[in-house]
Amino acid sequence: MRKKYVMIAIICSGLFLFLTPFPDQASLTSVFRVTEEPAVITRGINGSALTVNLSFGDLEVEQWIRELNTPYPFLFVDTGWANRFPETIKLINEKNIPVGLLGHAGNAYDQNTALFTGQLEQFQALFGTKPLWFRTADEVFPHSLQLMLWEAEVNALGSSFSWHGANPPPVKPGEIISVPHNREQRTDLTALHKLYDTRTFQPLEDVLFNPTIKTKKTPK
């Protein structure tokens, strides 16, 4: 009798698993907010993250991206610049380099929802996905812009400091370094070795969330 009940339970479990629809891949893609309310993130928990703001450059930027190795820096991309250099964007996509949306100066978004919405749509057309991270060109985030980002489920990311090619400062745990490469501040990307010589960079999410992996030893 007991074996009969066990067999019935097994059959019922099998039918439940068979009839339960599996979620499609899209539903498993997470969209997250890092903060519990509108806010700007400027540092993480541990380690160092390198972010580069791209809104200017042609062949030298393409060559730099072509020579990049993992772990990649996080690229904030201006959509106006990106639309002029589709081959560079194709290369970024092929190498699966992490990207976010680089906007205009912060005051350009004051009550200007259309500007932000238009840039989101352009980013999605270029990279096939909505950005999880947004940065203004001057790292100024008016309150109205923070609310727009919150509504769109996009996180605002500033930086711990901006590097322009001088001798790097001492390492601080959780630092997020931004490197501008625009018409006014054209930081030499080939000089980034100065930063790489002084710290070990990690992916942005690792610096923000400090994930740890526990391994279980198998007894001999």
Side-chain angles (χ1 to χ4, degrees):
M1 181 65 69
R2 183 178 179 183
K3 290 183 179 179
K4 181 179 179 181
Y5 287 141
V6 171
M7 184 62 66
I8 292 173
I10 293 173
I11 293 172
C12 290
S13 299
L15 287 172
F16 175 79
L17 291 173
F18 179 76
L19 295 174
T20 301
F22 288 94
D24 58 20
Q25 187 67 27
S27 66
L28 295 175
T29 303
S30 62
V31 177
F32 64 92
R33 293 190 182 106
V34 175
T35 58
E36 295 182 354
E37 59 185 19
V40 181
I41 300 168
T42 58
R43 66 181 308 105
I45 298 173
N46 202 11
S48 302
L50 177 62
T51 65
V52 179
N53 302 342
L54 293 176
S55 61
F56 185 79
D58 188 356
L59 294 178
E60 78 278 12
V61 174
E62 181 181 342
Q63 185 61 32
W64 174 70
I65 291 173
R66 193 175 300 279
E67 295 174 355
L68 280 178
N69 296 311
T70 56
Y72 296 126
F74 193 97
L75 305 183
F76 279 96
V77 175
D78 174 85
T79 56
W81 169 82
N83 280 317
R84 296 194 298 273
F85 301 102
E87 289 302 316
T88 302
I89 300 308
K90 179 181 178 182
L91 183 60
I92 291 173
N93 286 328
E94 287 176 349
K95 298 187 72 167
N96 200 27
I97 299 175
V99 291
L101 174 57
L102 179 66
H104 297 169
N107 60 12
Y109 297 92
D110 197 18
Q111 307 301 327
N112 191 348
T113 306
L115 174 60
F116 175 67
T117 302
Q119 290 175 333
L120 276 184
E121 292 173 352
Q122 291 179 44
F123 186 97
Q124 287 180 285
L126 287 163
F127 297 102
T129 185
K130 185 175 74 173
L132 291 177
W133 303 97
F134 176 87
R135 173 182 286 166
T136 58
D138 55 2
E139 298 193 19
V140 174
F141 295 82
H143 183 64
S144 58
L145 174 58
Q146 293 184 39
L147 293 177
M148 291 181 208
L149 293 168
W150 182 258
E151 181 67 24
E153 295 186 319
V154 179
N155 297 291
L157 189 76
S159 67
S160 308
F161 69 89
S162 182
W163 186 78
H164 301 268
N167 291 330
V171 178
K172 292 186 178 180
E175 64 185 3
I176 299 171
I177 304 172
S178 65
V179 177
H181 192 75
N182 53 54
R183 189 176 297 276
E184 292 76 28
Q185 298 174 309
R186 194 173 178 179
T187 306
D188 183 5
L189 298 176
T190 61
L192 286 174
H193 67 86
K194 293 182 181 179
L195 287 172
Y196 282 97
D197 289 343
T198 60
R199 62 252 293 148
T200 299
F201 287 110
Q202 299 172 249
L204 176 62
E205 282 78 10
D206 288 3
V207 172
L208 290 173
F209 306 123
N210 194 29
T212 57
I213 300 176
K214 295 181 179 180
T215 58
K216 183 178 180 181
K217 293 183 178 181
T218 302
K220 295 180 181 180

